[in-house]
């Protein structure tokens, strides 16, 4: 396993460094968001290539991560195409001034690379510890959770994209589709699908040791980089505050009656 971890770590460092160089070239730090999903895809294929005779579980895992990662990266690219740098990174440029290149390399690109690497340990454990056992209930539960989570993330992203494409909705808050049942269906979906991937890891020896990964990802989405930033941004709108009163923040449920 140490061999795979070393190879994956080195390749991921080069990957994030290359993305950083591109960001400097095009003057857009926010492309790191596009690189996020692609990084997991890269590590999953490194893991599959590390195995001499891939098992069914390892192949399924690679397919699931690849579908998720490519869709997410593609969506973020399409969503931001032709637009200026994301406001979060513009704020960083203002704070860091002339040192933005060096500081962003360490505090944005390398930091996200470390997080990505640590969250990938359920993948590493499957690629190194799977003994080829037949798929069991944990695997099927994991695939089911992944399918539900992926559906939530992909469908809600598409619903939001179409909503924003309509000029009549400028300045408005989406409250239809999956967004009727949770204020952040895309983040809920991402959390759920990674719990599904963890279930595949749980089906192999020592997989339980990677339980920290889905816990950490869910915590990041709920308390650090996902939900809190958007809630802070949109709570300034009266429409969103009313929406928040009747709609769950994260876990989907029927909206409260007025």
């Amino acid at each position: 396993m140490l061999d795979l971890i070393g190879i994956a770590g080195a390749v991921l460092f080069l990957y994030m460094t290359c993305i950083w160089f591109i960001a400097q070239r095009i003057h857009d730090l926010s492309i790191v968001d596009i690189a996020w999903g692609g990084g997991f895809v890269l590590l999953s294929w490194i893991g599959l290539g590390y195995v001499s005779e891939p098992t069914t579980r390892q192949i399924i895992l690679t397919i699931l991560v690849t579908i998720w990662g490519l869709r997410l990266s593609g969506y973020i690219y399409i969503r931001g195409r032709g637009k200026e740098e994301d406001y979060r990174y513009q704020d960083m440029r203002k704070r860091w001034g002339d040192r933005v290149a060096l500081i962003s390399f360490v505090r944005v690109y390398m930091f996200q690379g470390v997080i990505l690497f640590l969250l990938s340990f359920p993948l590493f454990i499957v690629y190194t510890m799977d003994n080829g056992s037949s798929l069991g209930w944990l695997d099927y539960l994991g695939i089911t959770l992944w399918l539900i989570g992926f559906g939530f993330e992909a469908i809600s992203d598409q619903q939001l994209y179409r909503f924003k494409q309509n000029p009549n909705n400028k300045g408005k808050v989406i409250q239809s589709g999956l967004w009727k049942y949770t204020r952040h269906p895309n983040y809920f979906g991402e959390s759920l699908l990674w719990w599904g991937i963890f279930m595949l890891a749980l089906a192999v020896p020592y997989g339980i040791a990677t339980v920290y990964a889905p816990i950490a990802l869910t915590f990041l989405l709920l308390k650090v980089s996902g939900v809190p930033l958007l809630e802070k941004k949109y709570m300034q709108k009266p429409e969103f505050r009313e929406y928040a009163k009747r709609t769950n923040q994260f876990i989907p449920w029927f909206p409260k009656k007025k």
Side-chain angles (χ1 to χ4, degrees):
M1 184 174 182
L2 292 178
D3 290 345
L4 175 58
I5 291 175
I7 294 170
V11 172
L12 184 59
F13 173 79
L14 292 175
Y15 171 74
M16 296 302 289
T17 300
C18 287
I19 300 298
W20 175 79
F21 272 115
I22 296 172
Q24 305 313 305
R25 179 89 177 182
I26 65 175
H27 201 68
D28 187 354
L29 294 175
S30 58
I31 65 169
V32 70
D33 295 338
I34 300 174
W36 176 257
F40 287 99
V41 175
L42 178 63
L43 295 187
S44 69
W45 281 95
I46 289 174
L48 190 67
Y50 177 83
V51 179
S52 56
E53 295 183 11
T55 66
T56 301
R57 184 177 291 108
Q58 291 165 347
I59 293 172
I60 290 174
L61 177 68
T62 306
I63 292 173
L64 297 183
V65 173
T66 300
I67 292 173
W68 166 77
L70 292 182
R71 188 216 69 87
L72 181 62
S73 292
Y75 169 73
I76 294 175
Y77 168 75
I78 292 172
R79 183 186 65 184
R81 183 173 52 190
K83 297 181 180 179
E84 62 182 11
E85 186 178 46
D86 185 275
Y87 74 95
R88 295 169 297 165
Y89 299 99
Q90 290 185 27
D91 290 343
M92 292 176 188
R93 288 188 183 279
K94 294 176 183 177
R95 293 199 310 269
W96 298 336
D98 295 338
R99 299 181 299 159
V100 64
L102 178 60
I103 296 178
S104 66
F105 177 76
V106 177
R107 295 180 59 176
V108 177
Y109 283 76
M110 289 300 104
F111 178 72
Q112 286 203 27
V114 170
I115 298 299
L116 194 161
F117 183 69
L118 294 175
L119 293 179
S120 295
F121 270 73
L123 312 182
F124 299 150
I125 205 79
V126 172
Y127 291 124
T128 57
M129 302 304 296
D130 186 9
N131 55 18
S133 60
S134 300
L135 298 182
W137 69 270
L138 283 172
D139 300 290
Y140 294 117
L141 175 60
I143 294 170
T144 300
L145 292 177
W146 185 93
L147 288 170
I148 296 172
F150 182 79
F152 259 87
E153 185 174 44
I155 293 172
S156 61
D157 278 346
Q158 185 63 21
Q159 290 172 341
L160 180 60
Y161 181 77
R162 289 181 177 176
F163 181 85
K164 289 187 173 182
Q165 288 297 104
N166 186 342
N168 294 327
N169 293 327
K170 186 175 181 179
K172 295 182 179 180
V173 176
I174 183 172
Q175 303 179 44
S176 58
L178 294 176
W179 301 84
K180 178 179 179 180
Y181 305 100
T182 163
R183 305 202 296 272
H184 302 280
N186 49 348
Y187 290 144
F188 168 76
E190 182 156 345
S191 172
L192 188 63
L193 71 85
W194 276 100
W195 277 102
I197 288 174
F198 166 69
M199 291 299 161
L200 293 175
L202 191 58
V204 307
Y206 306 108
I208 186 63
T210 66
V211 68
Y212 76 87
I215 292 175
L217 177 68
T218 303
F219 177 80
L220 288 172
L221 292 174
L222 273 172
K223 301 297 182 181
V224 182
S225 63
V227 171
L229 292 178
L230 291 178
E231 291 279 304
K232 181 179 179 181
K233 178 181 178 181
Y234 289 113
M235 275 297 180
Q236 301 173 22
K237 297 184 177 183
E239 182 186 6
F240 188 86
R241 291 197 295 271
E242 288 300 314
Y243 168 58
K245 289 179 181 179
R246 62 178 181 273
T247 309
N248 275 10
Q249 183 186 71
F250 193 68
I251 298 177
W253 193 245
F254 296 101
K256 301 179 181 70
K257 295 182 180 180
K258 294 183 180 181

PDB file of all heavy atoms in Angstrom, residues 55-61 126 130-141 143 199-200 203-204:
ATOM      1  N   THR A  55     -10.024  -6.678  -9.554  1.00  0.00           N
ATOM      2  CA  THR A  55     -11.211  -7.405  -9.130  1.00  0.00           C
ATOM      3  C   THR A  55     -12.460  -6.654  -9.600  1.00  0.00           C
ATOM      4  O   THR A  55     -12.388  -5.494 -10.025  1.00  0.00           O
ATOM      5  CB  THR A  55     -11.259  -7.531  -7.608  1.00  0.00           C
ATOM      6  OG1 THR A  55     -11.420  -6.217  -7.031  1.00  0.00           O
ATOM      7  CG2 THR A  55      -9.965  -8.142  -7.076  1.00  0.00           C
ATOM      8  N   THR A  56     -13.581  -7.313  -9.483  1.00  0.00           N
ATOM      9  CA  THR A  56     -14.853  -6.676  -9.856  1.00  0.00           C
ATOM     10  C   THR A  56     -15.090  -5.430  -9.030  1.00  0.00           C
ATOM     11  O   THR A  56     -15.513  -4.387  -9.549  1.00  0.00           O
ATOM     12  CB  THR A  56     -16.022  -7.663  -9.645  1.00  0.00           C
ATOM     13  OG1 THR A  56     -15.809  -8.820 -10.450  1.00  0.00           O
ATOM     14  CG2 THR A  56     -17.346  -7.014 -10.013  1.00  0.00           C
ATOM     15  N   ARG A  57     -14.795  -5.504  -7.747  1.00  0.00           N
ATOM     16  CA  ARG A  57     -15.009  -4.352  -6.850  1.00  0.00           C
ATOM     17  C   ARG A  57     -14.119  -3.183  -7.259  1.00  0.00           C
ATOM     18  O   ARG A  57     -14.555  -2.027  -7.258  1.00  0.00           O
ATOM     19  CB  ARG A  57     -14.715  -4.770  -5.410  1.00  0.00           C
ATOM     20  CG  ARG A  57     -14.986  -3.691  -4.370  1.00  0.00           C
ATOM     21  CD  ARG A  57     -14.734  -4.207  -2.963  1.00  0.00           C
ATOM     22  NE  ARG A  57     -15.718  -5.190  -2.573  1.00  0.00           N
ATOM     23  CZ  ARG A  57     -15.470  -6.510  -2.454  1.00  0.00           C
ATOM     24  NH1 ARG A  57     -14.257  -6.992  -2.729  1.00  0.00           N
ATOM     25  NH2 ARG A  57     -16.423  -7.348  -2.079  1.00  0.00           N
ATOM     26  N   GLN A  58     -12.875  -3.460  -7.600  1.00  0.00           N
ATOM     27  CA  GLN A  58     -11.952  -2.395  -8.001  1.00  0.00           C
ATOM     28  C   GLN A  58     -12.377  -1.738  -9.312  1.00  0.00           C
ATOM     29  O   GLN A  58     -12.277  -0.518  -9.468  1.00  0.00           O
ATOM     30  CB  GLN A  58     -10.537  -2.979  -8.127  1.00  0.00           C
ATOM     31  CG  GLN A  58      -9.933  -3.382  -6.793  1.00  0.00           C
ATOM     32  CD  GLN A  58      -8.713  -4.266  -6.934  1.00  0.00           C
ATOM     33  OE1 GLN A  58      -8.431  -4.786  -8.030  1.00  0.00           O
ATOM     34  NE2 GLN A  58      -7.968  -4.442  -5.858  1.00  0.00           N
ATOM     35  N   ILE A  59     -12.871  -2.538 -10.231  1.00  0.00           N
ATOM     36  CA  ILE A  59     -13.342  -2.002 -11.513  1.00  0.00           C
ATOM     37  C   ILE A  59     -14.578  -1.132 -11.299  1.00  0.00           C
ATOM     38  O   ILE A  59     -14.686  -0.026 -11.856  1.00  0.00           O
ATOM     39  CB  ILE A  59     -13.645  -3.138 -12.503  1.00  0.00           C
ATOM     40  CG1 ILE A  59     -12.346  -3.856 -12.885  1.00  0.00           C
ATOM     41  CG2 ILE A  59     -14.346  -2.603 -13.747  1.00  0.00           C
ATOM     42  CD1 ILE A  59     -12.553  -5.104 -13.708  1.00  0.00           C
ATOM     43  N   ILE A  60     -15.509  -1.619 -10.477  1.00  0.00           N
ATOM     44  CA  ILE A  60     -16.721  -0.838 -10.192  1.00  0.00           C
ATOM     45  C   ILE A  60     -16.359   0.484  -9.529  1.00  0.00           C
ATOM     46  O   ILE A  60     -16.878   1.544  -9.887  1.00  0.00           O
ATOM     47  CB  ILE A  60     -17.680  -1.650  -9.304  1.00  0.00           C
ATOM     48  CG1 ILE A  60     -18.284  -2.816 -10.096  1.00  0.00           C
ATOM     49  CG2 ILE A  60     -18.791  -0.755  -8.738  1.00  0.00           C
ATOM     50  CD1 ILE A  60     -19.132  -3.751  -9.270  1.00  0.00           C
ATOM     51  N   LEU A  61     -15.448   0.420  -8.560  1.00  0.00           N
ATOM     52  CA  LEU A  61     -15.018   1.631  -7.863  1.00  0.00           C
ATOM     53  C   LEU A  61     -14.442   2.649  -8.845  1.00  0.00           C
ATOM     54  O   LEU A  61     -14.784   3.845  -8.792  1.00  0.00           O
ATOM     55  CB  LEU A  61     -13.972   1.277  -6.806  1.00  0.00           C
ATOM     56  CG  LEU A  61     -13.365   2.453  -6.037  1.00  0.00           C
ATOM     57  CD1 LEU A  61     -14.419   3.088  -5.139  1.00  0.00           C
ATOM     58  CD2 LEU A  61     -12.168   2.007  -5.221  1.00  0.00           C
ATOM     59  N   VAL A 126      -9.134  -0.120  -1.215  1.00  0.00           N
ATOM     60  CA  VAL A 126      -9.761  -1.092  -2.109  1.00  0.00           C
ATOM     61  C   VAL A 126      -8.750  -1.618  -3.115  1.00  0.00           C
ATOM     62  O   VAL A 126      -8.708  -2.824  -3.408  1.00  0.00           O
ATOM     63  CB  VAL A 126     -10.979  -0.473  -2.829  1.00  0.00           C
ATOM     64  CG1 VAL A 126     -11.516  -1.430  -3.898  1.00  0.00           C
ATOM     65  CG2 VAL A 126     -12.073  -0.131  -1.838  1.00  0.00           C
ATOM     66  N   ASP A 130      -8.240  -5.427  -1.406  1.00  0.00           N
ATOM     67  CA  ASP A 130      -9.318  -6.281  -1.911  1.00  0.00           C
ATOM     68  C   ASP A 130      -8.751  -7.643  -2.294  1.00  0.00           C
ATOM     69  O   ASP A 130      -7.818  -7.744  -3.094  1.00  0.00           O
ATOM     70  CB  ASP A 130      -9.986  -5.616  -3.119  1.00  0.00           C
ATOM     71  CG  ASP A 130     -11.204  -6.387  -3.603  1.00  0.00           C
ATOM     72  OD1 ASP A 130     -11.638  -7.323  -2.916  1.00  0.00           O
ATOM     73  OD2 ASP A 130     -11.721  -6.033  -4.681  1.00  0.00           O
ATOM     74  N   ASN A 131      -9.326  -8.700  -1.726  1.00  0.00           N
ATOM     75  CA  ASN A 131      -8.844 -10.059  -1.988  1.00  0.00           C
ATOM     76  C   ASN A 131      -9.643 -10.770  -3.072  1.00  0.00           C
ATOM     77  O   ASN A 131      -9.497 -11.977  -3.278  1.00  0.00           O
ATOM     78  CB  ASN A 131      -8.857 -10.891  -0.701  1.00  0.00           C
ATOM     79  CG  ASN A 131     -10.229 -10.899  -0.039  1.00  0.00           C
ATOM     80  OD1 ASN A 131     -11.245 -10.584  -0.669  1.00  0.00           O
ATOM     81  ND2 ASN A 131     -10.272 -11.249   1.245  1.00  0.00           N
ATOM     82  N   GLY A 132     -10.500 -10.021  -3.753  1.00  0.00           N
ATOM     83  CA  GLY A 132     -11.270 -10.631  -4.837  1.00  0.00           C
ATOM     84  C   GLY A 132     -12.533 -11.327  -4.392  1.00  0.00           C
ATOM     85  O   GLY A 132     -13.116 -12.101  -5.168  1.00  0.00           O
ATOM     86  N   SER A 133     -12.971 -11.094  -3.178  1.00  0.00           N
ATOM     87  CA  SER A 133     -14.189 -11.735  -2.679  1.00  0.00           C
ATOM     88  C   SER A 133     -15.394 -11.271  -3.484  1.00  0.00           C
ATOM     89  O   SER A 133     -15.391 -10.195  -4.096  1.00  0.00           O
ATOM     90  CB  SER A 133     -14.395 -11.403  -1.200  1.00  0.00           C
ATOM     91  OG  SER A 133     -14.521 -10.001  -1.015  1.00  0.00           O
ATOM     92  N   SER A 134     -16.419 -12.094  -3.491  1.00  0.00           N
ATOM     93  CA  SER A 134     -17.640 -11.760  -4.230  1.00  0.00           C
ATOM     94  C   SER A 134     -18.297 -10.520  -3.632  1.00  0.00           C
ATOM     95  O   SER A 134     -18.158 -10.234  -2.434  1.00  0.00           O
ATOM     96  CB  SER A 134     -18.618 -12.934  -4.187  1.00  0.00           C
ATOM     97  OG  SER A 134     -18.037 -14.089  -4.762  1.00  0.00           O
ATOM     98  N   LEU A 135     -19.029  -9.806  -4.454  1.00  0.00           N
ATOM     99  CA  LEU A 135     -19.733  -8.638  -3.968  1.00  0.00           C
ATOM    100  C   LEU A 135     -20.782  -9.052  -2.945  1.00  0.00           C
ATOM    101  O   LEU A 135     -21.483 -10.048  -3.132  1.00  0.00           O
ATOM    102  CB  LEU A 135     -20.407  -7.894  -5.122  1.00  0.00           C
ATOM    103  CG  LEU A 135     -19.497  -7.335  -6.219  1.00  0.00           C
ATOM    104  CD1 LEU A 135     -20.337  -6.592  -7.250  1.00  0.00           C
ATOM    105  CD2 LEU A 135     -18.430  -6.428  -5.650  1.00  0.00           C
ATOM    106  N   GLY A 136     -20.876  -8.272  -1.869  1.00  0.00           N
ATOM    107  CA  GLY A 136     -21.838  -8.569  -0.820  1.00  0.00           C
ATOM    108  C   GLY A 136     -22.780  -7.408  -0.581  1.00  0.00           C
ATOM    109  O   GLY A 136     -22.827  -6.444  -1.356  1.00  0.00           O
ATOM    110  N   TRP A 137     -23.502  -7.474   0.512  1.00  0.00           N
ATOM    111  CA  TRP A 137     -24.524  -6.472   0.780  1.00  0.00           C
ATOM    112  C   TRP A 137     -23.930  -5.080   0.978  1.00  0.00           C
ATOM    113  O   TRP A 137     -24.552  -4.077   0.611  1.00  0.00           O
ATOM    114  CB  TRP A 137     -25.379  -6.874   1.986  1.00  0.00           C
ATOM    115  CG  TRP A 137     -24.677  -6.837   3.306  1.00  0.00           C
ATOM    116  CD1 TRP A 137     -23.985  -7.843   3.896  1.00  0.00           C
ATOM    117  CD2 TRP A 137     -24.629  -5.725   4.208  1.00  0.00           C
ATOM    118  NE1 TRP A 137     -23.477  -7.431   5.110  1.00  0.00           N
ATOM    119  CE2 TRP A 137     -23.871  -6.144   5.329  1.00  0.00           C
ATOM    120  CE3 TRP A 137     -25.132  -4.426   4.192  1.00  0.00           C
ATOM    121  CZ2 TRP A 137     -23.605  -5.303   6.406  1.00  0.00           C
ATOM    122  CZ3 TRP A 137     -24.868  -3.583   5.270  1.00  0.00           C
ATOM    123  CH2 TRP A 137     -24.124  -4.029   6.360  1.00  0.00           C
ATOM    124  N   LEU A 138     -22.702  -5.002   1.534  1.00  0.00           N
ATOM    125  CA  LEU A 138     -22.062  -3.709   1.697  1.00  0.00           C
ATOM    126  C   LEU A 138     -21.780  -3.055   0.342  1.00  0.00           C
ATOM    127  O   LEU A 138     -21.960  -1.846   0.168  1.00  0.00           O
ATOM    128  CB  LEU A 138     -20.756  -3.847   2.485  1.00  0.00           C
ATOM    129  CG  LEU A 138     -20.878  -4.022   3.998  1.00  0.00           C
ATOM    130  CD1 LEU A 138     -19.519  -4.336   4.605  1.00  0.00           C
ATOM    131  CD2 LEU A 138     -21.476  -2.766   4.636  1.00  0.00           C
ATOM    132  N   ASP A 139     -21.343  -3.880  -0.609  1.00  0.00           N
ATOM    133  CA  ASP A 139     -21.074  -3.356  -1.953  1.00  0.00           C
ATOM    134  C   ASP A 139     -22.355  -2.843  -2.605  1.00  0.00           C
ATOM    135  O   ASP A 139     -22.379  -1.748  -3.187  1.00  0.00           O
ATOM    136  CB  ASP A 139     -20.455  -4.451  -2.825  1.00  0.00           C
ATOM    137  CG  ASP A 139     -19.157  -4.968  -2.265  1.00  0.00           C
ATOM    138  OD1 ASP A 139     -18.161  -4.230  -2.286  1.00  0.00           O
ATOM    139  OD2 ASP A 139     -19.133  -6.129  -1.800  1.00  0.00           O
ATOM    140  N   TYR A 140     -23.412  -3.632  -2.502  1.00  0.00           N
ATOM    141  CA  TYR A 140     -24.673  -3.232  -3.129  1.00  0.00           C
ATOM    142  C   TYR A 140     -25.281  -2.013  -2.442  1.00  0.00           C
ATOM    143  O   TYR A 140     -25.878  -1.142  -3.082  1.00  0.00           O
ATOM    144  CB  TYR A 140     -25.654  -4.402  -3.133  1.00  0.00           C
ATOM    145  CG  TYR A 140     -25.194  -5.535  -4.017  1.00  0.00           C
ATOM    146  CD1 TYR A 140     -24.909  -6.789  -3.488  1.00  0.00           C
ATOM    147  CD2 TYR A 140     -25.005  -5.334  -5.385  1.00  0.00           C
ATOM    148  CE1 TYR A 140     -24.465  -7.825  -4.301  1.00  0.00           C
ATOM    149  CE2 TYR A 140     -24.563  -6.368  -6.210  1.00  0.00           C
ATOM    150  CZ  TYR A 140     -24.291  -7.608  -5.660  1.00  0.00           C
ATOM    151  OH  TYR A 140     -23.842  -8.620  -6.469  1.00  0.00           O
ATOM    152  N   LEU A 141     -25.094  -1.938  -1.118  1.00  0.00           N
ATOM    153  CA  LEU A 141     -25.540  -0.744  -0.393  1.00  0.00           C
ATOM    154  C   LEU A 141     -24.742   0.465  -0.862  1.00  0.00           C
ATOM    155  O   LEU A 141     -25.296   1.547  -1.087  1.00  0.00           O
ATOM    156  CB  LEU A 141     -25.369  -0.943   1.115  1.00  0.00           C
ATOM    157  CG  LEU A 141     -25.672   0.271   1.995  1.00  0.00           C
ATOM    158  CD1 LEU A 141     -27.113   0.732   1.819  1.00  0.00           C
ATOM    159  CD2 LEU A 141     -25.375  -0.045   3.465  1.00  0.00           C
ATOM    160  N   ILE A 143     -23.206   0.937  -3.763  1.00  0.00           N
ATOM    161  CA  ILE A 143     -23.597   1.305  -5.125  1.00  0.00           C
ATOM    162  C   ILE A 143     -24.928   2.046  -5.111  1.00  0.00           C
ATOM    163  O   ILE A 143     -25.124   3.031  -5.829  1.00  0.00           O
ATOM    164  CB  ILE A 143     -23.672   0.058  -6.022  1.00  0.00           C
ATOM    165  CG1 ILE A 143     -22.271  -0.544  -6.206  1.00  0.00           C
ATOM    166  CG2 ILE A 143     -24.276   0.398  -7.378  1.00  0.00           C
ATOM    167  CD1 ILE A 143     -22.266  -1.901  -6.874  1.00  0.00           C
ATOM    168  N   MET A 199     -18.601   2.478   1.587  1.00  0.00           N
ATOM    169  CA  MET A 199     -19.163   1.144   1.800  1.00  0.00           C
ATOM    170  C   MET A 199     -18.411   0.086   0.992  1.00  0.00           C
ATOM    171  O   MET A 199     -18.235  -1.047   1.448  1.00  0.00           O
ATOM    172  CB  MET A 199     -20.646   1.134   1.430  1.00  0.00           C
ATOM    173  CG  MET A 199     -21.520   1.925   2.373  1.00  0.00           C
ATOM    174  SD  MET A 199     -21.458   1.278   4.059  1.00  0.00           S
ATOM    175  CE  MET A 199     -22.075   2.686   4.988  1.00  0.00           C
ATOM    176  N   LEU A 200     -17.956   0.455  -0.194  1.00  0.00           N
ATOM    177  CA  LEU A 200     -17.139  -0.474  -0.977  1.00  0.00           C
ATOM    178  C   LEU A 200     -15.816  -0.729  -0.259  1.00  0.00           C
ATOM    179  O   LEU A 200     -15.306  -1.860  -0.261  1.00  0.00           O
ATOM    180  CB  LEU A 200     -16.874   0.098  -2.370  1.00  0.00           C
ATOM    181  CG  LEU A 200     -18.086   0.243  -3.298  1.00  0.00           C
ATOM    182  CD1 LEU A 200     -17.684   0.939  -4.599  1.00  0.00           C
ATOM    183  CD2 LEU A 200     -18.696  -1.111  -3.609  1.00  0.00           C
ATOM    184  N   ALA A 203     -16.065  -3.119   2.680  1.00  0.00           N
ATOM    185  CA  ALA A 203     -16.211  -4.526   2.323  1.00  0.00           C
ATOM    186  C   ALA A 203     -14.865  -5.256   2.212  1.00  0.00           C
ATOM    187  O   ALA A 203     -14.844  -6.469   2.025  1.00  0.00           O
ATOM    188  CB  ALA A 203     -16.972  -4.659   1.006  1.00  0.00           C
ATOM    189  N   VAL A 204     -13.759  -4.508   2.316  1.00  0.00           N
ATOM    190  CA  VAL A 204     -12.440  -5.141   2.232  1.00  0.00           C
ATOM    191  C   VAL A 204     -11.754  -5.036   3.589  1.00  0.00           C
ATOM    192  O   VAL A 204     -12.130  -4.211   4.433  1.00  0.00           O
ATOM    193  CB  VAL A 204     -11.575  -4.485   1.129  1.00  0.00           C
ATOM    194  CG1 VAL A 204     -12.311  -4.471  -0.203  1.00  0.00           C
ATOM    195  CG2 VAL A 204     -11.157  -3.083   1.521  1.00  0.00           C
TER     196      VAL A 204
END
